[in-house]
Amino acid sequence: MYRTHTCGCLRACNVNETVTLAGWVQKVRNLGAMTFIDLRDRYGITQIVVEEHSPAPVRAVAGELGREYVVQVTGRVVERSSKNPRIPTGEVEVTACELRILNRAQTPPFTIEEQSDGGDDLRMKYRYLDLRRPPLQRAMILRHRMAQAVRTFLDGEGFLEIETPYLIKSTPEGARDFVVPSRMNPNEFYALPQSPQTLKQLLMVAGYDRYFQIVRCFRDEDLRADRQPEFTQIDCEMSFVEQEDVLEIFERWARHMFREVLGVEFEAPFRRMPWIEAMERYGSDKPDLRFGMEFANLTALAKGHGFGVFDDAEYITGFAAPGCAGYTRKQIDALTDFVKRPQVGARGLVWIRTEADGSVKSSVDKFYTTDQVRAMAERSGAAPGDLTLILCGPKFKTLTQLSALRIEMARLLGLRDPRRFAPLWVVDFPMFEWDEDTQRYYAMHHPFTSPKPEDVQYLESDPGRVRANAYDFVCNGTEIGGGSIRIHDADLQARIFRALGFTPEKAEEQFGFLMNAFKFGAPPHGGLAFGFDRLCSLFGGAESIRDYIAFPKNNAGRDVMLDAPSAIAPEQLDELYLRLERPE
Ligand code: ASP
């Protein structure tokens, strides 16, 4: 037996027991007569003592130890004279009577402690060392517990966990595919699933009316903090359901997760917000409801008074930042610079101060009467002491820009508390999204999403007006999940493909297998998928999903530890009938 206990479990009640521990040397403090060793495993740290009168071989081994050596120690548990209340084992230590080096270690490139002194690249390259650190261990344990909570709940509701293949054909999420060449079928390629969307729909045709899977998905997109080329979804699908049924069951699921994993309870039902309301009131289809600063439409009030910038604008909107009337010129200039950054893209920022005595002062005083300025401030919800911030331009562009400013203000005001949670459902998404560059409509969710029955009449005449039976689960300004009720009627599906500019041949080529299956008795069905990595980082209170993935890729999509992607041998290329060309 390598150990009788872990390094996290000894307490005062174990005093006088003889125990054997195994783990990594976190730290050695040699005080001459005594040597203290912090022995670490994933359960905690236990202090080991080697004393002057310890057996000579033990003292000799203690003198050799270095950081991250793997050792086994047998000894007696004794009460510590100076207790360490910061660690659970801090009341005791183990006096070593045997000490054995199981393996030596090179000095690690950074310290394996709560805070590492390694930069991002170094930590990624030695990820297995990074994973020894408590913050990452906590993240991995949280992720594990969450996966178990998902399974317990869904199993209890009769969902079956069914695996679907990774070597498939392009799926409809609309990102770029990762492809895999087939040796046995020369010049042909599999696509890795962007999600199991089509397969889970086929499972509905097959009669498995409640399906789920915690599954890897692959999308070849540019990366950001909350994106990875391979990521994990909690993917779910149900038959014989309407939108309400899906929202009901997954709201219960979300409550179960918050309760089981974090001990957080929500009294009220989750808010439901139509997409258009989310856009007009928060400028985002994933509004952060931990704080207010709702937008007001100021177009009617602000237009037509001789201020050219507003007079020419399609839409004028603003919000009141609480308690910011005292912002200095410099602070306001910084906000103006913020909205003018290329990532935000506004042309300028208009402000109104509502002073403590109720008087108003604005950056556009010369174009408006005091009453007109006051009316705008009041419409924005400003109370005395607040600062109204206003942007204008094309409607949705302006709303999106103001959303960036709202989030920035929340950051400056410290309103983005990671331990508070504000979940909601965003519903009634538009079916289609117009793309200026390609001058065509795209499916906002995916092409199997069902339009609202009452909007089907506009499919050909006014596609932009058609709303979908699609919904997103949003929390703290992040889209955690999304899904839709699907189309199960072949004629309607054909009309959607047409609206999306697919020729019947193209639709057949890409999704013929699904359309064909639908001819054999497809039940009404719908579902959704949650981003598991994002859910973990939300629960963990972190911005980035990386620390919740054991072996993530860097921003260039590289695994710097494995050094992947990498070149392959010429013979492998030959087997695949592939010839390489260097990029220009
Ligand atoms: N497959 C969809 C996605 O990945 C989710 C769904 O509609 O169920 O976004």
Side-chain angles (χ1 to χ4, degrees):
M1 216 178 5
Y2 270 110
R3 57 183 176 184
T4 57
H5 294 76
T6 68
C7 297
C9 70
L10 296 176
R11 300 287 184 273
C13 62
N14 300 104
V15 167
N16 281 330
E17 287 175 28
T18 296
V19 298
T20 302
L21 304 179
W24 286 262
V25 173
Q26 165 115 350
K27 210 191 275 164
V28 185
R29 272 160 298 144
N30 194 331
L31 306 182
M34 306 240 267
T35 303
F36 293 101
I37 303 158
D38 283 350
L39 192 66
R40 181 195 66 232
D41 62 16
R42 79 168 163 97
Y43 305 93
I45 289 181
T46 300
Q47 177 159 288
I48 312 296
V49 203
V50 176
E51 296 170 326
E52 216 168 0
H53 53 266
S54 294
V58 170
R59 278 184 286 127
V61 171
E64 274 183 59
L65 296 181
R67 272 161 55 199
E68 301 308 313
Y69 273 40
V70 187
V71 302
Q72 184 187 41
V73 57
T74 298
R76 203 162 59 84
V77 183
V78 298
E79 191 178 342
R80 267 163 82 158
S81 49
S82 64
K83 303 200 166 42
N84 179 356
R86 286 189 309 271
I87 57 172
T89 61
E91 285 186 307
V92 297
E93 59 195 7
V94 173
T95 315
C97 52
E98 279 172 50
L99 183 60
R100 187 152 74 102
I101 293 175
L102 300 176
N103 214 339
R104 286 164 204 279
Q106 274 184 28
T107 307
F110 49 85
T111 52
I112 317 285
E113 285 180 357
E114 192 71 25
Q115 303 292 338
S116 122
D117 54 3
D120 245 14
D121 288 351
L122 207 56
R123 287 177 42 213
M124 286 296 164
K125 177 149 189 226
Y126 298 93
R127 185 65 168 176
Y128 44 88
L129 296 181
D130 204 18
L131 283 166
R132 283 184 194 165
R133 292 171 49 234
L136 272 96
Q137 285 178 355
R138 285 196 293 273
M140 292 304 120
I141 293 166
L142 177 73
R143 187 179 173 111
H144 163 80
R145 280 178 47 218
M146 291 179 66
Q148 301 316 308
V150 168
R151 291 198 163 97
T152 310
F153 179 87
L154 293 176
D155 177 55
E157 295 288 332
F159 283 77
L160 297 178
E161 184 168 9
I162 301 177
E163 286 167 280
T164 50
Y166 284 161
L167 296 175
I168 62 165
K169 196 177 162 88
S170 193
T171 50
E173 270 75 22
R176 207 175 287 112
D177 285 325
F178 281 102
V179 294
V180 179
S182 166
R183 177 184 57 82
M184 288 193 285
N185 305 274
N187 297 330
E188 292 187 320
F189 295 81
Y190 302 99
L192 300 181
Q194 293 182 30
S195 85
Q197 183 61 37
T198 47
L199 294 152
K200 69 176 172 178
Q201 293 193 244
L202 291 171
L203 286 171
M204 296 303 111
V205 179
Y208 295 85
D209 63 340
R210 287 184 169 205
Y211 141 93
F212 88 100
Q213 188 180 188
I214 300 181
V215 63
R216 201 66 55 78
C217 301
F218 306 85
R219 297 184 192 176
D220 188 1
E221 295 174 300
D222 293 335
L223 307 180
R224 299 190 303 241
D226 62 348
R227 263 200 204 151
Q228 283 277 307
E230 50 178 311
F231 61 97
T232 304
Q233 281 190 348
I234 306 164
D235 191 44
C236 309
E237 196 76 5
M238 305 167 79
S239 292
F240 308 115
V241 286
E242 290 174 344
Q243 172 165 316
E244 198 49 45
D245 303 306
V246 178
L247 299 194
E248 187 275 329
I249 206 160
F250 284 98
E251 182 158 331
R252 273 196 294 116
W253 166 79
R255 286 169 185 280
H256 170 88
M257 296 298 293
F258 277 106
R259 186 185 313 117
E260 292 298 306
V261 181
L262 296 177
V264 171
E265 288 283 356
F266 297 95
E267 303 270 305
F270 292 174
R271 241 166 107 175
R272 306 267 176 97
M273 195 180 291
W275 177 86
I276 187 68
E277 187 184 326
M279 292 307 296
E280 288 180 350
R281 287 171 68 179
Y282 301 97
S284 166
D285 58 6
K286 35 181 185 289
D288 193 336
L289 300 188
R290 281 174 296 180
F291 44 88
M293 298 195 277
E294 278 179 35
F295 300 178
N297 181 353
L298 304 174
T299 315
L301 285 177
K303 245 176 127 116
H305 299 284
F307 177 41
V309 177
F310 278 178
D311 289 350
D312 294 342
E314 179 196 0
Y315 200 76
I316 305 163
T317 177
F319 67 87
C324 297
Y327 265 33
T328 60
R329 191 71 231 195
K330 205 166 145 214
Q331 283 172 301
I332 293 181
D333 285 347
L335 296 180
T336 308
D337 290 343
F338 175 83
V339 297
K340 282 182 164 173
R341 284 166 25 169
Q343 302 94 305
V344 181
R347 299 233 310 276
L349 178 67
V350 169
W351 53 265
I352 307 172
R353 291 190 168 110
T354 304
E355 308 288 3
D357 62 5
S359 64
V360 290
K361 174 151 185 30
S362 83
S363 56
V364 288
D365 277 346
K366 61 173 178 254
F367 301 101
Y368 296 93
T369 67
T370 308
D371 283 346
Q372 286 166 340
V373 173
R374 182 171 296 118
M376 285 189 262
E378 276 173 6
R379 179 70 60 84
S380 79
D386 294 354
L387 178 70
T388 299
L389 299 167
I390 305 173
L391 296 179
C392 72
K395 178 170 175 178
F396 287 101
K397 214 168 163 183
T398 305
L399 285 166
T400 309
Q401 292 165 347
L402 195 64
S403 169
L405 182 59
R406 176 175 176 268
I407 301 294
E408 173 66 3
M409 285 313 301
R411 189 184 67 79
L412 292 172
L413 294 170
L415 299 173
R416 306 187 70 195
D417 178 358
R419 284 153 315 196
R420 278 192 52 223
F421 299 96
L424 77 151
W425 293 102
V426 176
V427 296
D428 301 349
F429 276 80
M431 184 78 188
F432 304 109
E433 197 172 17
W434 177 254
D435 183 64
E436 275 300 327
D437 294 342
T438 49
Q439 291 286 304
R440 53 160 280 209
Y441 280 108
Y442 282 88
M444 194 134 175
H445 190 50
H446 52 60
F448 309 133
T449 296
S450 146
K452 291 209 177 283
E454 63 270 31
D455 290 355
V456 169
Q457 53 179 320
Y458 308 116
L459 261 182
E460 286 79 18
S461 59
D462 190 3
R465 177 169 176 181
V466 180
R467 290 164 310 156
N469 272 328
Y471 31 80
D472 273 0
F473 179 68
V474 172
C475 192
N476 295 5
T478 307
E479 179 200 327
I480 301 294
S484 60
I485 297 300
R486 327 297 183 188
I487 300 167
H488 64 282
D489 170 87
D491 292 337
L492 183 57
Q493 186 66 66
R495 282 173 73 187
I496 299 292
F497 280 143
R498 215 176 306 129
L500 290 169
F502 281 80
T503 60
E505 296 73 35
K506 181 87 187 135
E508 173 61 33
E509 180 196 311
Q510 237 185 308
F511 303 120
F513 64 98
L514 185 64
M515 298 307 110
N516 203 37
F518 279 9
K519 293 177 192 152
F520 294 93
H525 61 288
L528 76 187
F530 296 93
F532 187 48
D533 315 288
R534 277 191 202 175
L535 191 66
C536 291
S537 66
L538 175 78
F539 274 37
E543 293 272 317
S544 166
I545 63 174
R546 263 205 221 161
D547 284 350
Y548 296 84
I549 298 173
F551 299 106
K553 301 199 171 30
N554 74 4
N555 280 342
R558 296 200 69 84
D559 185 319
V560 290
M561 177 184 68
L562 302 175
D563 192 23
S566 53
I568 58 172
E571 306 82 73
Q572 281 176 296
L573 287 172
D574 290 344
E575 270 178 353
L576 295 166
Y577 301 94
L578 291 179
R579 199 155 296 135
L580 299 185
E581 228 173 70
R582 294 215 154 271
E584 300 278 310

